[in-house]
């Protein structure tokens, strides 16, 4: 076979052979030659780059002002048109984009055109206490000096202005979230009003439901009595109070201690709001007595007080205590004993307050 090398017959070229001088480690190629930028040699170029950076920071300020003006000046009332909403959304988006883009590109251009760009390499050394702290302080001082921020007040002032104004759009958006909910998430319309128990009514027409109307295997979508008469906050009240009503054979129900009076002859009522992320649990399997959430397939066993048997939900569906009144209509004997819907920061505290 031939010699697989690029050298002469006496020298193997790229193929190392025994007895040759062996290099024990890779040689340090060194740093490439430093290339000066126009701003390093021409004061006018440096001044021009400084003005460009200041302009970019100024664009950021203008973007923030556009956001604030469009947010507060364009009133979105009940009579607002789609065109008005689109205009405000366009201005809000452009304002945010210019505010963030101006700061980002300004800092990048500042670093590439004006800050020192020479490469430095040093050997790693063992960490020491006070000496390392002093070295770190010197490094920070060197970085501040290299940025030139002390020598370039135009860049410094425009940067401070852009950074100071940049958080204002976020503060405006947070302020639009509305007042604190306090304990409103812990209560629904099912609570008795002036000592009168709320009847269970059909969704959406609001007709009361008698116990005799609920047959084994049937399912009703239920809202509290009086919900349709609300003038304000109807959707929010409904989002917390919607209930699924079903009837099973009483022998199929597993009833825990303290819930003996929460159902009536096999009729049970559970919150329709999934405890995962709040989707409506609207699918009922009559044969298996399972309730399914269509969003993420959380499955609840109706015979075991809606215990989670599959899916990402971590809590059973809250049960609504029910009974019948003198006319045979189903009524809620109290509000839910726990907050409905997915978990939130103060849910456990609210549950303790409800049951105290």
């Amino acid at each position: 076979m031939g010699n697989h090398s690029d050298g002469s017959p006496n020298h193997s070229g790229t193929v190392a052979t025994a007895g040759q001088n062996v290099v024990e480690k890779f040689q340090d190629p060194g740093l490439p030659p430093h290339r000066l930028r126009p701003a390093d040699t021409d004061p006018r170029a440096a001044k021009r780059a400084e003005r460009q950076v200041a302009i970019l920071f100024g664009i950021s300020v203008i973007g923030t002002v556009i956001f604030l003006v469009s947010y507060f000046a364009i009133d979105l009332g009940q009579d607002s048109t789609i065109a008005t909403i689109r205009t405000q959304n366009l201005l809000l988006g452009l304002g945010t984009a210019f505010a963030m883009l101006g700061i980002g590109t300004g800092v990048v251009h500042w670093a590439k055109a004006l800050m020192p760009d020479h490469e430095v390499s040093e050997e790693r050394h063992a960490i020491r206490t006070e000496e390392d702290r002093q070295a770190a302080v010197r490094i920070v001082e060197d970085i501040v000096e290299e940025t030139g921020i002390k020598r370039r007040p135009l860049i410094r002032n425009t940067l401070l202005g852009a950074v100071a104004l940049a958080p204002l759009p976020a503060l405006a958006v947070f302020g639009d979230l509305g007042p604190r909910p306090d304990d409103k998430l812990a209560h629904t319309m099912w609570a008795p009003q002036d000592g009168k128990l709320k009847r269970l009514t059909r969704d959406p027409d609001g007709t009361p439901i008698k116990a005799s109307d609920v047959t084994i295997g049937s399912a009703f979508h239920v809202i509290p009595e009086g919900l349709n008469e609300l003038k304000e906050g109807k959707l929010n009240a409904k989002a917390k109070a919607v209930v699924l009503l079903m009837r099973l054979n009483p022998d199929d129900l597993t009833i825990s201690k303290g819930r003996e009076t929460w159902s009536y002859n096999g009729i049970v009522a559970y919150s329709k709001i999934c405890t995962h992320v709040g989707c409506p649990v609207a699918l009922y399997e009559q044969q298996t007595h399972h309730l399914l959430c269509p969003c993420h397939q959380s499955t609840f066993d109706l015979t075991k007080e809606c215990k989670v048997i599959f899916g990402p939900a971590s809590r059973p569906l809250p049960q609504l205590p029910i009974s019948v009144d003198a006319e045979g209509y189903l009524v809620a004997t109290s509000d839910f004993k726990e907050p409905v819907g997915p978990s939130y920061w103060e849910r456990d505290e609210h549950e303790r307050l409800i049951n105290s």
Side-chain angles (χ1 to χ4, degrees):
M1 297 182 63
N3 185 5
H4 298 282
S5 68
D6 296 328
S8 64
N10 296 325
H11 300 280
S12 60
T14 58
V15 180
T17 59
Q20 291 183 337
N21 293 330
V22 179
V23 179
E24 296 182 355
K25 61 180 181 179
F26 290 104
Q27 298 296 319
D28 184 0
L31 297 176
H34 180 65
R35 295 182 179 180
L36 296 176
R37 301 162 302 180
D40 296 331
T41 57
D42 187 356
R44 291 179 299 179
K47 198 65 177 179
R48 183 168 58 251
E50 181 179 353
R51 289 195 297 268
Q52 292 170 349
V53 173
I55 290 173
L56 291 172
F57 290 155
I59 291 175
S60 175
V61 173
I62 294 173
T64 303
V65 172
I66 291 175
F67 180 95
L68 295 175
V69 170
S70 59
Y71 185 84
F72 291 105
I74 301 178
D75 184 20
L76 296 182
Q78 296 182 352
D79 300 330
S80 299
T81 63
I82 296 297
T84 303
I85 297 175
R86 288 177 177 174
T87 301
Q88 187 190 54
N89 288 339
L90 176 62
L91 293 175
L92 292 177
L94 290 176
T96 303
F98 282 119
M100 298 297 101
L101 190 64
I103 291 180
T105 55
V107 170
V108 171
H109 187 49
W110 181 9
K112 293 178 68 68
L114 295 173
M115 294 184 187
D117 66 337
H118 54 274
E119 297 182 358
V120 177
S121 62
E122 61 181 3
E123 296 291 336
R124 296 187 63 179
H125 52 81
I127 298 178
R128 297 178 179 86
T129 55
E130 184 61 24
E131 294 180 0
D132 283 342
R133 192 187 70 81
Q134 295 294 337
V137 172
R138 289 194 297 271
I139 291 174
V140 173
E141 293 175 349
D142 291 342
I143 292 174
V144 173
E145 184 64 28
E146 288 180 352
T147 60
I149 195 170
K150 295 180 179 179
R151 305 189 308 272
R152 305 183 190 278
L154 180 60
I155 291 181
R156 180 191 62 211
N157 296 336
T158 52
L159 174 61
L160 292 176
V163 172
L165 293 178
L168 294 182
L171 295 177
V173 172
F174 291 151
D176 205 28
L177 295 177
R180 287 174 52 87
D182 296 324
D183 63 344
K184 293 180 181 179
L185 297 178
H187 305 287
T188 71
M189 279 192 64
W190 290 113
Q193 186 175 7
D194 299 328
K196 181 182 179 181
L197 303 181
K198 296 287 185 68
R199 286 179 174 177
L200 279 67
T201 63
R202 292 175 175 84
D203 183 17
D205 56 20
T207 57
I209 304 173
K210 285 189 173 183
S212 57
D213 297 334
V214 187
T215 59
I216 292 181
S218 62
F220 289 77
H221 298 266
V222 175
I223 56 177
E225 180 182 15
L227 177 66
N228 288 337
E229 284 70 38
L230 290 180
K231 300 300 182 182
E232 296 182 358
K234 178 180 178 180
L235 291 180
N236 288 334
K238 183 176 182 180
K240 296 187 296 181
V242 285
V243 162
L244 280 174
L245 181 73
M246 295 136 294
R247 187 168 196 166
L248 287 73
N249 187 331
D251 296 335
D252 294 334
L253 293 174
T254 301
I255 301 177
S256 61
K257 184 179 180 180
R259 295 194 180 192
E260 294 86 353
T261 60
W262 288 20
S263 58
Y264 179 79
N265 289 342
I267 301 176
V268 291
Y270 285 91
S271 172
K272 190 178 174 181
I273 307 304
C274 182
T275 55
H276 177 219
V277 291
C279 295
V281 179
L283 303 178
Y284 173 51
E285 290 184 349
Q286 182 179 352
Q287 301 300 321
T288 61
H289 304 304
H290 291 169
L291 294 174
L292 288 85
C293 176
C295 292
H296 305 98
Q297 290 71 55
S298 292
T299 306
F300 306 87
D301 190 344
L302 190 61
T303 64
K304 297 180 179 179
E305 298 177 342
C306 281
K307 177 183 178 181
V308 182
I309 58 175
F310 180 79
S314 60
R315 297 173 181 263
L317 295 175
Q319 183 177 1
L320 180 68
I322 60 172
S323 184
V324 292
D325 60 13
E327 300 179 43
Y329 289 104
L330 291 169
V331 294
T333 58
S334 71
D335 199 353
F336 291 102
K337 297 299 183 180
E338 60 178 304
V340 301
S343 297
Y344 56 91
W345 188 263
E346 297 176 338
R347 175 170 177 153
D348 293 336
E349 179 182 350
H350 285 165
E351 184 175 346
R352 289 192 295 270
L353 291 175
I354 293 173
N355 295 299
S356 61

